[in-house]
Amino acid sequence: MSHTEFIRRMPDGTMKQINPFSGTEVWTVPGRANRPIGMPPKNPQPLKTNRGDDCAFCWNRVLETPPEKARIVRDNDKSKGEVHIVRNAPVDDLADPWEFRRIPNLFEIVSYTYWQKNYGYDMSPSMRARMEGYIADPAGKAHLLSVLGAKARAGQRTDWDGMEERDQLREAEAFFGGGHDVVVSRRHFVDGATDDSQLASAGTLTPMEHFWYMQLTIDAMRDLYAQNRYARYVQVFQNWLKPSGASFDHLHKQLVAIDERSVNADLEIPKVRQNPNIYNEDEVDYAGYHNLVIAENTNAVAIAGFGHRYPTIEIWSRSEALQPWEHSLAEQRDMSNMVHAIHAASGPHMPSNEEWYCAPIDTDVRMPWHVAIKWRVSNVAGFEGGTKIYVNTLDPYHVRDRVVPELLQLRADGKIAQDISIATECTCRVNSLKYNRALQ
C-alpha cells in the first residue's frame, strides 16, 4: 500500500487531511463537530389540498418544461413492481402517469449553440425528425412556443415578441439536440405529507424507486455520449436543497456534456499511470486500515472520505466495468442501494451535492466509477481562499459516527436494502475494487 499518510491528528485534536488525488488540504478543528446540521425548517406551513403543482418539475405542470426525452413508467401489472423506459413521448401523453422523467434543461450550462459554433455540431436526422414531428402537431407547437416564450421572458429578451414564429421555433433545436438534461422525480413531497417540511428526497424513495432513478440517469448518460461525438465527458450531479445550489427543492439529477476532461481526471490520470492500483491503495484500502469503511455490499463500498472541502461519503463500484452503463444490472443495483442508503442516513434536510466520477470516454487508463455525497454544512470563506486550506466542520470519523447508527436503524426498519453490511460487519478486504486488470 501507499506509504503516504493522508490523515494526521495533532496533539490538540486538530485533524489534518490531504486528498490523495487533488492534494487539497483540509483541517477539522476540535469542538465544531457537535453543531446541529441538517435540521428541518422551524416553521413548516400546512400543505394545500391540491398537490402536484408546487414547482415547475411537478407532475401537474409538465407543460412548463421542454419536450420530454424519456420517462420511467410502471408496467400494467403494478404488483410485480416492474418498469420500462418510454422515449420521446408526444405532447398528448405527457399527463400520463410516470415515476421519473428526463427533460432538457431550460437554461443550459453548455449550450446547443456552443456545440454548433465551436464544432459545427448538428443534431442527428432522427432528432431532427422528432423535432419536426413535434412542431407538426398543433399541441406540440403550442407547447414549444409556450416554453420558449417563458425562457425568453426569464432572460428579459426584448426581441422575442417581434420575431417570426419560424425563428422562435428554431431555438427549440436545443431541446432536441442539446447536451444538458435533467432527470426529475415525480414526488415533490412524500406521500401523505401534511406540511412543507416533508420533502421527498433521494433517501425517502424506496430502494427500488431509487434504482429506477439511477437507471434512467445511466441511460441518459450513455445517450449523451452517443449523440455527440465531440463530448469528452458527461458530468452527472445532484444538488439537493438551495444551500447546495438547487433551483427547486424537488428531487432531480443533472447531466452535462462537455468537450474537455474534468480537472479531476487530468489530475488523476498521471497518478493512475504511475500506480494502476491507486484507487484501492490510497482510497478504499486506506479507509479500511483507518476504520473509515461505513458500509458495503457485493458490488459497492462506502467510506468516509478524506481531503474534501465538505464532509463527504464516497461510494465506490467494485465492478470490473468502468462506465455505469457497462455495469450489470446487479452491479448497478448495488451501487444504487448504497447511494440510496447514504442519502437516507443523511436525512431529507441535509443539503448535499451528489457527484459522479467516471473515466473520461477518451482515456486509456482504468478508473472506477464512484459517487461522492457531500454535505453542504459550511461556507468557504476568506481563510480558505487565502490559504487554500479548507476548514471542515466534521472530520471523517465524525461523519462515520453520524452515519453508522442511522444506517443500522434504517436497515432494522426495512427502509434500505437488507443486504448492506454496516461498519464492523464489513469485510474490508484488500483490493476489493476490480477495475484494475491485474486483479481480475
Side-chain angles (χ1 to χ4, degrees), residues 149-383:
K151 179 179 180 180
R153 289 189 294 274
Q156 298 182 336
R157 288 181 55 177
T158 59
D159 63 330
W160 183 257
D161 291 335
M163 291 174 61
E164 296 285 342
E165 184 180 88
R166 65 175 181 274
D167 294 325
Q168 292 177 336
L169 288 170
R170 191 173 294 117
E171 297 196 15
E173 290 183 350
F175 297 159
F176 297 91
H180 184 170
D181 289 345
V182 183
V183 177
V184 179
S185 174
R186 172 175 58 83
R187 296 182 184 89
H188 191 108
F189 298 102
V190 298
D191 293 340
T194 57
D195 66 61
D196 61 6
S197 72
Q198 297 169 292
L199 293 168
S201 70
T204 65
L205 300 173
T206 67
M208 180 60 78
E209 287 172 336
H210 191 272
F211 181 44
W212 299 339
Y213 184 32
M214 184 169 277
Q215 278 187 300
L216 191 58
T217 305
I218 291 172
D219 182 78
M221 185 183 189
R222 174 175 54 187
D223 186 52
L224 287 178
Y225 274 122
Q227 76 179 38
N228 185 350
R229 66 188 182 91
Y230 305 107
R232 298 177 68 192
Y233 197 71
V234 173
Q235 180 62 57
V236 180
F237 60 97
Q238 174 179 290
N239 302 331
W240 174 244
L241 303 181
K242 288 183 174 61
S244 74
S247 300
F248 298 120
D249 290 343
H250 188 124
L251 181 62
H252 65 282
K253 283 183 174 35
Q254 298 188 58
L255 303 95
V256 182
I258 60 177
D259 58 342
E260 299 180 7
R261 296 172 176 172
S262 68
V263 172
N264 287 315
D266 281 337
L267 289 171
E268 291 176 26
I269 286 171
K271 295 177 183 288
V272 181
R273 290 193 194 283
Q274 186 176 8
N275 177 10
N277 203 39
I278 193 170
Y279 295 105
N280 276 307
E281 295 178 8
D282 288 356
E283 284 282 354
V284 176
D285 291 353
Y286 187 90
Y289 291 130
H290 290 77
N291 299 318
L292 291 174
V293 174
I294 291 174
E296 68 177 8
N297 55 27
T298 301
N299 295 299
V301 56
I303 66 172
F306 39 91
H308 294 281
R309 298 182 186 184
Y310 303 101
T312 299
I313 301 98
E314 301 172 5
I315 300 95
W316 291 81
S317 167
R318 288 170 160 168
S319 173
E320 297 178 7
L322 303 185
Q323 301 297 343
W325 63 86
E326 297 171 340
H327 285 49
S328 69
L329 285 179
E331 291 167 340
Q332 291 177 4
R333 181 68 188 270
D334 277 358
M335 279 292 288
S336 175
N337 284 347
M338 194 64 70
V339 172
H340 169 260
I342 297 303
H343 278 303
S346 301
H349 303 295
M350 177 69 76
S352 65
N353 299 117
E354 177 186 311
E355 302 166 357
W356 290 21
Y357 297 84
C358 303
I361 204 72
D362 63 349
T363 185
D364 63 316
V365 302
R366 297 186 61 79
M367 307 166 73
W369 174 30
H370 71 281
V371 176
I373 297 174
K374 299 181 177 181
W375 293 349
R376 294 294 297 273
V377 295
S378 60
N379 295 318
V380 175
F383 173 79

Side-chain angles (χ1 to χ4, degrees), residues 110-174:
V110 181
S111 69
Y112 181 74
T113 302
Y114 176 94
W115 296 105
Q116 281 184 311
K117 292 191 173 180
N118 292 323
Y119 292 96
Y121 170 78
D122 193 11
M123 70 177 80
S124 68
S126 62
M127 291 177 188
R128 189 161 295 281
R130 154 82 169 148
M131 182 181 74
E132 291 172 353
Y134 211 88
I135 292 173
D137 180 347
K141 184 187 350 185
H143 177 211
L144 286 173
L145 290 171
S146 174
V147 174
L148 288 167
K151 179 179 180 180
R153 289 189 294 274
Q156 298 182 336
R157 288 181 55 177
T158 59
D159 63 330
W160 183 257
D161 291 335
M163 291 174 61
E164 296 285 342
E165 184 180 88
R166 65 175 181 274
D167 294 325
Q168 292 177 336
L169 288 170
R170 191 173 294 117
E171 297 196 15
E173 290 183 350

